[in-house]
């Protein structure tokens, strides 16, 4: 059905151009050009940002920070695109001039009506064959793009993004969270987004250096699995769910654009709650802060100071973890010279991210996989070994520089690496998704204390990333605001699962309460 849907939409475009121009050759050229444009642009987006083309992309990238980022980081693509457009424009003019065919408009109109009717009839079955969130896969880019126009139109028309109950009788949460600390001051929180890391023990047949295993153990000597919402890329989805306490999957197929949709529309986020408790918040970000408009989003959810690639003077966006840790340690020392204010230090790393077709830090002698390990997994294991070395460095430096200061170190893997795909026996023409391959969406989280005792962590296995912020607040001894108390209750009744909770009505009611409280602004 998807193929026939794509054909009928393409014929509709050709018929529309023929109706306007009366030129059959030019109409065919325009339709072929559209298909080529979608295919090429989808390939480019998949190679650079791990996503295929969506209709909303044409609105998403039309903001100055994103345009600035694209020009800075992908200038060669933009130059090639401009040259290609100029060439295609000249070719279109030539086709127009040399096309001597003339199509009666009544025939073109009838063809258009028939093609549109066929496309409309095929839309529902084609959409049913489209797996949820398949825009993150390389399959069917043309039909995915055509199908995405309907949801894009609805969002632009209604301004509504999140799944929620139509109403609820439950009371709204406090509009502004209040912090009522008692007893000892809270610890400084050092949160590490460990790019692409997951416990290799998740794959029993994998041959690897078991010296890596302690990297995934918390102070309770347990390994805690984390359920995330993307595979191989799109780290910002895990990031969003963690900071907002809301599953990105609750926003449907529009979730890749949350950094734009939800800018200035979220209250009582994790950083904002910490701010009310006296924390100074800072982010160490390996990319340009204009990447996907994330810098502006981070600021609106309460990350007051952002050290992006330029601010950290990073030679690349793929430095060793130690580079970012060193910058964070220096900022902490500077802050503590003038204040005892607790810090929320959020560090994102990049070294372990794919692709794995080259040897990262080739002079570093670290173990990879066993003799039969695929090349990409061998390289990933090398990078994981470096991540452990750099994490051990961080712990040693924290102990040396801040010997008496209470610290809570929280780490998590944002998604699995593409190197694990072959371990799920996924056919080449099949897309990984949460429903069919749940194991591909499991990483880990870990918590450790320095001069601080980490309380018992939840027994839910795995824990959804949307609940990780609540768990972190509790581990830091922060009194939970009422919305987070409700998250804790939902975590219990849903056994740690957010979007796929069997009590889905409770989740939808919770979203309605967030909207009613002003924690989520729909428009």
């Amino acid at each position: 059905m998807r193929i026939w849907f794509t054909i009928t939409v393409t014929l509709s475009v050709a018929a529309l151009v023929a109706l306007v121009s009366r030129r059959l050759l030019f109409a065919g050229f325009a339709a072929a050009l559209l298909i080529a444009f979608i295919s090429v642009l989808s390939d480019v987006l998949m190679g650079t940002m791990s996503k295929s083309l969506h209709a909303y992309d044409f609105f998403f990238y039309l903001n100055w920070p994103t345009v600035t980022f694209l020009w800075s980081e992908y200038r060669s693509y933009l130059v090639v695109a401009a040259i290609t457009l100029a060439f295609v424009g000249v070719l279109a003019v030539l086709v127009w001039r040399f096309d001597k065919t003339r199509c009666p408009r009544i025939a073109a109109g009838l063809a258009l009506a028939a093609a549109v009717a066929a496309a409309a009839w095929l839309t529902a079955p084609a959409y049913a064959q489209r797996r949820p969130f398949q825009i993150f896969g390389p399959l069917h880019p043309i039909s995915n793009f055509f199908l995405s126009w309907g949801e894009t139109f609805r969002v632009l028309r209604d301004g509504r993004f999140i799944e929620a109950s139509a109403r609820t009788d439950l009371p709204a949460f406090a509009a502004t969270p209040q912090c009522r600390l008692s007893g000892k001051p809270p610890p400084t929180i050092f949160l590490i987004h460990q790019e692409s890391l997951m416990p290799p023990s998740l794959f029993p047949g994998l041959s690897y250096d078991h010296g890596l295993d302690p990297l995934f153990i918390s102070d309770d000597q347990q390994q805690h699995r984390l359920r995330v919402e993307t595979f191989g890329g799109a780290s910002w989805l895990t990031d969003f769910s963690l900071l907002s306490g809301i599953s990105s999957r609750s926003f449907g197929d529009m979730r890749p654009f949350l950094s734009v949709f939800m800018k200035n529309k979220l209250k009582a986020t994790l950083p904002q709650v910490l701010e009310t408790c006296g924390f100074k918040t800072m982010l160490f970000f390996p990319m340009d802060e204009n990447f996907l408009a994330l810098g502006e989003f981070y600021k609106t959810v309460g990350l007051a100071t952002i050290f992006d690639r330029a601010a950290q003077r990073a030679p690349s966006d793929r430095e060793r973890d130690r580079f970012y840790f060193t910058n964070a340690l220096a900022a902490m020392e500077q802050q503590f010279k003038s204040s005892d204010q607790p810090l929320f230090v959020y560090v994102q790393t990049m070294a372990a991210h794919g692709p794995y077709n080259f040897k990262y830090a080739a002079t570093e002698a670290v173990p990879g996989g066993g003799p039969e390990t695929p090349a990409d997994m061998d390289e990933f294991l090398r990078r994981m070994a470096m991540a452990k070395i750099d994490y051990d460095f961080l712990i040693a430096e924290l102990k040396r520089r801040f010997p008496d200061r209470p610290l809570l170190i929280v780490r998590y893997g944002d998604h699995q690496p593409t190197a694990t795909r072959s371990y799920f026996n996924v056919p080449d023409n099949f897309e990984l998704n949460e429903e069919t391959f749940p194991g591909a969406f499991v990483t880990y989280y870990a918590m450790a204390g320095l001069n601080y005792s980490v309380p018992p962590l939840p027994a839910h296995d795995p824990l959804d990333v949307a609940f990780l912020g609540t768990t972190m607040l509790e581990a830091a001894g922060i009194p939970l605001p009422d919305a987070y108390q409700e998250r804790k209750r939902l975590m219990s009744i849903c056994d740690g699962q957010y979007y796929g909770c069997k009590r889905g009505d409770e989740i939808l009611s919770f979203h309605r309460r967030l909207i009613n409280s002003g924690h989520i602004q729909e428009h």
Side-chain angles (χ1 to χ4, degrees):
M1 286 295 183
R2 292 173 68 109
I3 294 175
W4 287 109
F5 169 75
T6 302
I7 290 172
T8 54
V9 173
T10 305
L11 289 175
S12 299
V13 172
L16 177 62
V17 175
L19 178 66
V20 173
S21 68
R22 297 185 60 208
R23 289 168 166 80
L24 289 177
L25 181 60
F26 182 77
F29 172 81
L33 182 63
L34 175 64
I35 298 302
F37 172 79
I38 296 170
S39 299
V40 171
L41 196 50
S42 287
D43 285 344
V44 170
L45 284 173
M46 184 58 59
T48 56
M49 298 181 185
S50 300
K51 65 181 293 294
S52 56
L53 184 64
H54 189 282
Y56 193 78
D57 282 319
F58 294 101
F59 303 93
F60 178 72
Y61 291 103
L62 291 180
N63 60 81
W64 184 247
T66 302
V67 170
T68 302
F69 165 76
L70 292 174
W71 180 250
S72 172
E73 298 296 323
Y74 297 105
R75 187 172 305 177
S76 60
Y77 286 95
L78 296 181
V79 170
V80 170
I83 294 172
T84 302
L85 286 175
F87 172 76
V88 168
V90 171
L91 186 59
V93 170
L94 292 175
V95 172
W96 174 278
R97 289 185 174 179
F98 287 98
D99 185 1
K100 303 302 182 182
T101 63
R102 292 296 180 270
C103 175
R105 284 201 166 92
I106 188 169
L110 290 173
L112 176 61
V116 169
W121 180 69
L122 291 167
T123 296
Y127 200 88
Q129 290 181 355
R130 180 196 192 196
R131 291 187 177 276
F133 323 120
Q134 203 178 53
I135 52 174
F136 291 99
L139 305 180
H140 312 293
I142 298 171
S143 60
N144 277 344
F145 175 73
F146 288 152
L147 288 168
S148 69
W149 276 104
E151 60 204 11
T152 298
F153 173 75
R154 287 191 294 273
V155 166
L156 293 174
R157 180 192 63 195
D158 302 334
R160 181 170 297 168
F161 317 119
I162 191 170
E163 299 171 355
S165 300
R167 61 182 299 275
T168 181
D169 294 328
L170 295 172
F173 302 117
T176 303
Q178 301 296 315
C179 184
R180 297 179 177 84
L181 292 174
S182 60
K184 295 181 180 179
T188 280
I189 301 173
F190 199 109
L191 174 64
I192 309 172
H193 167 124
Q194 291 199 292
E195 178 61 49
S196 301
L197 290 201
M198 54 87 200
S201 60
L202 292 177
F203 299 88
L206 180 61
S207 175
Y208 69 96
D209 174 17
H210 286 272
L212 293 174
D213 290 341
L215 183 61
F216 305 98
I217 301 299
S218 294
D219 275 3
D220 60 5
Q221 300 306 305
Q222 301 294 316
Q223 177 180 291
H224 296 274
R225 298 195 304 163
L226 183 71
R227 184 186 292 110
V228 294
E229 299 172 334
T230 181
F231 175 86
S235 306
W236 61 91
L237 297 183
T238 305
D239 201 26
F240 175 89
S241 299
L242 167 64
L243 296 175
S244 69
I246 304 165
S247 168
S248 71
R249 296 188 67 188
S250 299
F251 294 83
D253 285 349
M254 302 302 290
R255 64 185 178 132
F257 311 107
L258 289 174
S259 58
V260 169
F261 279 159
M262 302 310 293
K263 183 178 67 177
N264 291 315
K265 293 185 177 180
L266 293 172
K267 302 297 181 185
T269 63
L270 174 64
Q272 289 168 346
V273 169
L274 291 170
E275 280 186 322
T276 65
C277 290
F279 281 74
K280 180 179 176 62
T281 61
M282 58 182 70
L283 166 68
F284 291 82
F285 188 53
M287 310 290 287
D288 184 295
E289 71 173 280
N290 290 326
F291 175 66
L292 298 178
L294 282 170
E296 292 184 3
F297 171 76
Y298 287 137
K299 290 174 183 176
T300 68
V301 297
L303 290 165
T305 306
I306 299 176
F307 298 92
D308 69 350
R309 174 180 168 179
Q312 296 185 76
R313 298 182 179 179
S316 71
D317 58 8
R318 197 182 290 266
E319 296 300 305
R320 282 280 295 267
D321 295 0
R322 182 179 301 208
F323 175 86
Y324 306 112
F325 294 159
T326 300
N327 290 338
L329 289 164
M332 291 170 67
E333 282 191 318
Q334 184 66 31
Q335 178 65 24
F336 288 144
K337 284 180 181 178
S338 58
S339 172
D340 282 333
Q341 181 182 14
L343 303 178
F344 175 59
V345 182
Y346 184 19
V347 178
Q348 296 189 11
T349 66
M350 270 296 287
H353 201 295
Y356 304 105
N357 56 0
F358 68 97
K359 199 169 185 177
Y360 183 84
T363 59
E364 189 79 28
V366 292
E372 303 299 322
T373 306
D376 57 348
M377 177 56 75
D378 182 76
E379 172 59 23
F380 171 69
L381 290 169
R382 285 190 66 256
R383 298 185 194 184
M384 195 184 297
M386 285 182 260
K388 184 178 186 305
I389 291 170
D390 290 353
Y391 177 66
D392 291 343
F393 160 82
L394 171 66
I395 294 300
E397 285 297 295
L398 287 171
K399 290 178 178 178
R400 182 181 70 83
R401 301 188 194 203
F402 314 109
D404 303 316
R405 191 170 294 276
L407 299 166
L408 173 65
I409 300 98
V410 182
R411 297 175 289 119
Y412 70 93
D414 58 325
H415 54 71
Q416 288 193 17
T418 54
T420 65
R421 179 183 171 93
S422 61
Y423 290 81
F424 294 101
N425 297 316
V426 187
D428 290 340
N429 62 344
F430 200 83
E431 181 53 40
L432 277 170
N433 62 82
E434 293 95 328
E435 287 74 23
T436 310
F437 298 95
F441 295 84
V442 173
T443 61
Y444 86 104
Y445 75 94
M447 298 193 187
L450 297 179
N451 306 312
Y452 182 77
S453 296
V454 180
L457 298 175
H460 310 297
D461 182 34
L463 177 74
D464 267 26
V465 64
F467 290 127
L468 183 56
T470 302
T471 303
M472 189 189 316
L473 290 175
E474 278 215 302
I478 305 295
L480 295 182
D482 52 0
Y484 284 83
Q485 292 176 21
E486 178 64 4
R487 284 186 173 93
K488 183 178 178 181
R489 186 187 74 85
L490 292 171
M491 180 168 58
S492 177
I493 68 172
C494 296
D495 192 24
Q497 192 166 8
Y498 193 109
Y499 182 80
C501 175
K502 294 179 180 178
R503 302 278 296 276
D505 57 324
E506 296 264 11
I507 298 291
L508 296 180
S509 176
F510 173 61
H511 291 168
R512 176 50 55 189
R513 294 177 71 187
L514 291 175
I515 293 168
N516 293 346
S517 310
H519 291 194
I520 298 176
Q521 297 177 27
E522 282 198 293
H523 301 283

